Amino acid sequence: DGGITQSPKYLFRKEGQNVTLSCEQNLNHDAMYWYRQDPGQGLRLIYYSQIVNDFQKGDIAEGYSVSREKKESFPLTVTSAQKNPTAFYLCASSIIVGTEAFFGQGTRLTVV
Amino acid sequence: GENVEQHPSTLSVQEGDSAVIKCTYSDSASNYFPWYKQELGKRPQLIIDIRSNVGEKKDQRIAVTLNKTAKHFSLHITETQPEDSAVYFCAASNIDLRDKVIFGPGTSLSVIP
């Protein structure tokens, strides 16, 4: 079912704690992405990676960090510096940057 | 950088009627225009896409048209059904330059039985 897996589906954290969202793909895609989805605001790009050991900031990177040590994995850390972290986070991958994106099922993060 | 606008933000149609969603883009270098459908609680999925060397593309009840001169493209859904109810996102990118895909803000389509 798409070959891209996000875990967990729901995540709760206390304010001030860092939290890491997992994203794994077995599609052999070079490019991976993290999007944040808020009601009425569409899909906003947080970070993306064109290839292993490379990543670049998207439009709303502040308060987030990523790593791309393996082709299959692109974890996102939501740090305590992110002012409003409660949101729905979507990971995606594509053969190369700019082509059809395959999305994971998303992680809904709630910070209390 | 690229900016994609999308209208309307919400759209309600009677079952069987047609629905049209319009998008404009700012970067004339963009050459790939996908459309994604996101049903409630599910992941976005590609439903149709078009390259800049084509003016129109159809797939059963859905079609996309592209006007490069005016820098706008549209999604047309004919004979709408309740299962077409979803949020639809348009997007634009330059595949040759491996540019990131920029999404529009989305259109929430409701098909009333």
Side-chain angles (χ1 to χ4, degrees):
Chain A
D1 187 24
I4 181 163
T5 304
Q6 288 185 245
S7 61
K9 192 171 181 179
Y10 299 96
L11 190 54
F12 295 87
R13 278 295 182 270
K14 291 185 178 179
E15 194 173 337
Q17 291 182 335
N18 290 356
V19 60
T20 297
L21 282 58
S22 169
C23 179
E24 304 277 332
Q25 54 100 358
N26 61 4
L27 300 168
N28 200 32
H29 287 171
D30 280 329
M32 296 189 74
Y33 318 80
W34 275 104
Y35 292 92
R36 172 177 171 144
Q37 188 171 29
D38 296 288
Q41 296 208 44
L43 300 167
R44 294 188 291 167
L45 183 64
I46 305 172
Y47 268 98
Y48 67 105
S49 168
Q50 297 197 53
I51 202 166
V52 176
N53 294 321
D54 166 84
F55 51 83
Q56 298 182 48
K57 292 182 179 179
D59 301 317
I60 55 166
E62 186 176 350
Y64 300 98
S65 66
V66 293
S67 63
R68 186 86 187 275
E69 296 176 2
K70 298 187 299 181
K71 188 175 187 177
E72 302 80 16
S73 179
F74 191 42
L76 173 74
T77 297
V78 184
T79 76
S80 56
Q82 167 51 232
K83 297 281 189 281
N84 185 21
T86 294
F88 187 58
Y89 292 88
L90 281 162
C91 179
S93 69
S94 63
I95 295 175
I96 59 172
V97 172
T99 56
E100 178 187 357
F102 292 81
F103 286 85
Q105 291 199 326
T107 293
R108 187 166 297 280
L109 172 65
T110 302
V111 176
V112 295
Chain B
E2 176 66 277
N3 181 53
V4 178
E5 297 184 352
Q6 186 172 347
H7 300 279
S9 56
T10 58
L11 179 60
S12 290
V13 299
Q14 291 289 333
E15 183 177 358
D17 288 350
S18 295
V20 180
I21 302 170
K22 299 181 179 182
C23 288
T24 61
Y25 60 99
S26 61
D27 188 349
S28 57
S30 290
N31 58 14
Y32 176 62
F33 307 94
W35 285 88
Y36 290 82
K37 174 184 179 183
Q38 185 179 26
E39 297 177 31
L40 189 63
K42 296 192 176 181
R43 70 186 83 188
Q45 290 190 299
L46 182 79
I47 54 170
I48 196 167
D49 57 14
I50 192 168
R51 301 283 181 106
S52 59
N53 59 347
V54 176
E56 183 176 2
K57 184 177 179 180
K58 288 183 180 179
D59 183 3
Q60 299 183 343
R61 294 187 298 108
I62 61 173
V64 58
T65 59
L66 171 65
N67 183 327
K68 286 177 58 179
T69 303
K71 288 189 285 187
H72 67 70
F73 56 113
S74 300
L75 178 71
H76 305 254
I77 306 174
T78 59
E79 301 172 19
T80 53
Q81 301 168 4
E83 51 264 39
D84 294 328
S85 296
V87 178
Y88 292 81
F89 295 99
C90 63
S93 72
N94 185 314
I95 287 184
D96 300 327
L97 298 179
R98 300 195 179 190
D99 254 354
K100 58 190 179 184
V101 174
I102 302 299
F103 285 87
T107 296
S108 178
L109 172 64
S110 298
V111 178
I112 304 164

